[in-house]
Amino acid sequence: MMQGKFISIEGTEGAGKSTALQFIKQYLTKNNIDVVWTREPGGTELAEEIRRLVLHPMSFEEIEPETELLLMFAARAQHMKKYILPALNSGKWVATDRFIDASYAYQGGGRGIAMDYITMLDKWIVGSTYPQLTLLLDIAPHQGFERAEKRGTDKDRIEQEKMDFFVRVRDVYLERAKQDPERIKVIDASVPLFAVENQIRDVLDEFIKRR
Ligand code: T5A
C-alpha cells in the first residue's frame, strides 16, 4: 500500500503554529505535494466535540489530569482511525497542528502525569504511525503569551494555566527533541516571521530531498 508522509507541528502557546502552518501549506503546494491539514485535539466531527469539551467545557467541574489525558487520547484514537491512517494509506501527506508530543509535554510536563502512562497509551493508540517530521516552534513562554495576548482572542481552559505550567511544557518538548533529533527539528520561533519561515524552509527542503 502506498504510504504518504506525516508531519506534525508543535510548540507552546503563541509560538506561531497557525501562522507557520500557512507557510508550510504554501511550500508543499508549490512543490506539488498532495497534503491534507488537520489538528489535535480534533480533526473529525467527534474529535472536535471532545476538543470543545476539554478546551471550552460548559461545566464548572474541574477536569482531573487523568481525564484530560484520556480525552486527548480518545480524540486521537478517533482521529487516527477515521482520518490520519486512511489519508496516509491513500498516499497523501498529512500535516497536523499538534500530535502525540503535545500529550507528553502538556499532560506529562504540565500536569505531572507519569510518562509511563502516556507511553502506554502512545503505544496503543499511535503505535508505529509516528510523524516522520515534527517542527517544534520554540519560544520562551512569556514571549508566546505576549503574542497570544496581542491576538486578542479569548483564552481556552489550558491557556489560562500559570507560567510555570508552560515552562514545564517547553522543557519536555525540548527534552524530546534532544532524544529524537532526527524527527524533531527545533525552530527558533522568537525571531521575526521571515526568519522563522527561512528555518522552516531549510528543514522542509531537506525533508523533501530525503523522501
Ligand atoms: N493539547 C493538545 C494537550 O494538552 N494535549 C494534547 O495531546 C494535544 C494534542 C490546543 C491545546 O490543546 C493542548 C495544547 C493546547 O493548549 P491549539 O489549537 O494548538 O490548542 O492552540 P494553541 O497552542 O493555543 O495555539 P495558538 O493558536 O494560541 O498559538 P499558535 O498557533 O502557536 O500561534 P499563532 O500562529 O496564532 O500566533 C500567535 C500570534 O503571534 C503572531 C501571530 O500573528 C499571532 O497574532 N506571530 C508572530 N509575531 C511576531 N513574530 C513571529 N515570528 C510570529 N509568528 C506568529
Side-chain angles (χ1 to χ4, degrees), residues 131-146:
Q132 287 95 3
L133 173 66
T134 297
L135 293 158
L136 170 57
L137 269 62
D138 179 54
I139 193 168
H142 68 87
Q143 197 182 344
F145 261 60
E146 278 167 23

Side-chain angles (χ1 to χ4, degrees), residues 93-104:
W93 285 42
V94 175
T96 181
D97 186 345
R98 296 196 188 280
F99 191 60
I100 185 67
D101 297 293
S103 295
Y104 286 97

Side-chain angles (χ1 to χ4, degrees), residues 61-205:
E61 183 178 331
E62 195 186 328
I63 299 182
E64 293 298 330
E66 293 81 357
T67 311
E68 183 179 274
L69 175 71
L70 292 169
L71 285 172
M72 293 295 177
F73 271 93
R76 183 163 298 131
Q78 198 69 14
H79 192 206
M80 290 293 298
K81 290 227 170 136
K82 296 275 186 217
Y83 193 87
I84 294 177
L85 284 168
L88 291 174
N89 288 337
S90 72
K92 289 199 172 84
W93 285 42
V94 175
T96 181
D97 186 345
R98 296 196 188 280
F99 191 60
I100 185 67
D101 297 293
S103 295
Y104 286 97
Y106 281 79
Q107 282 66 53
R111 303 279 184 229
I113 293 180
M115 296 295 181
D116 284 352
Y117 289 120
I118 304 175
T119 305
M120 198 168 68
L121 292 166
D122 180 3
K123 285 191 173 145
W124 181 29
I125 303 302
V126 178
S128 59
T129 313
Y130 245 68
Q132 287 95 3
L133 173 66
T134 297
L135 293 158
L136 170 57
L137 269 62
D138 179 54
I139 193 168
H142 68 87
Q143 197 182 344
F145 261 60
E146 278 167 23
R147 282 188 187 169
E149 292 275 325
K150 272 195 206 146
R151 198 180 41 192
T153 47
D154 284 347
K155 287 184 172 180
D156 65 40
R157 190 181 59 84
I158 295 180
E159 282 169 334
Q160 290 169 25
E161 284 298 330
K162 299 209 171 64
M163 196 62 76
D164 58 341
F165 175 93
F166 295 102
V167 170
R168 294 196 298 277
V169 169
R170 184 193 194 195
D171 287 349
V172 172
Y173 269 136
L174 290 175
E175 183 54 35
R176 286 180 67 76
K178 216 156 94 189
Q179 300 301 325
D180 194 356
E182 270 299 295
R183 173 175 70 89
I184 305 181
K185 303 296 179 194
V186 182
I187 305 293
D188 177 2
S190 69
V191 294
L193 191 55
F194 77 90
V196 173
E197 290 177 350
N198 284 343
Q199 296 172 69
I200 294 176
R201 185 184 300 108
D202 288 348
V203 170
L204 290 175
D205 281 346

Side-chain angles (χ1 to χ4, degrees), residues 21-38:
L21 259 171
Q22 295 306 320
F23 175 77
I24 297 167
K25 273 183 198 175
Q26 283 168 9
Y27 176 96
L28 294 177
T29 307
K30 250 195 228 155
N31 282 274
N32 297 317
I33 290 169
D34 192 6
V35 60
V36 293
W37 311 96
T38 188

Side-chain angles (χ1 to χ4, degrees), residues 48-63:
E48 288 289 332
E49 276 190 44
I50 299 174
R51 178 188 179 95
R52 190 200 47 74
L53 199 64
V54 78
L55 296 180
H56 303 280
M58 304 283 201
S59 139
F60 290 107
E61 183 178 331
E62 195 186 328
I63 299 182

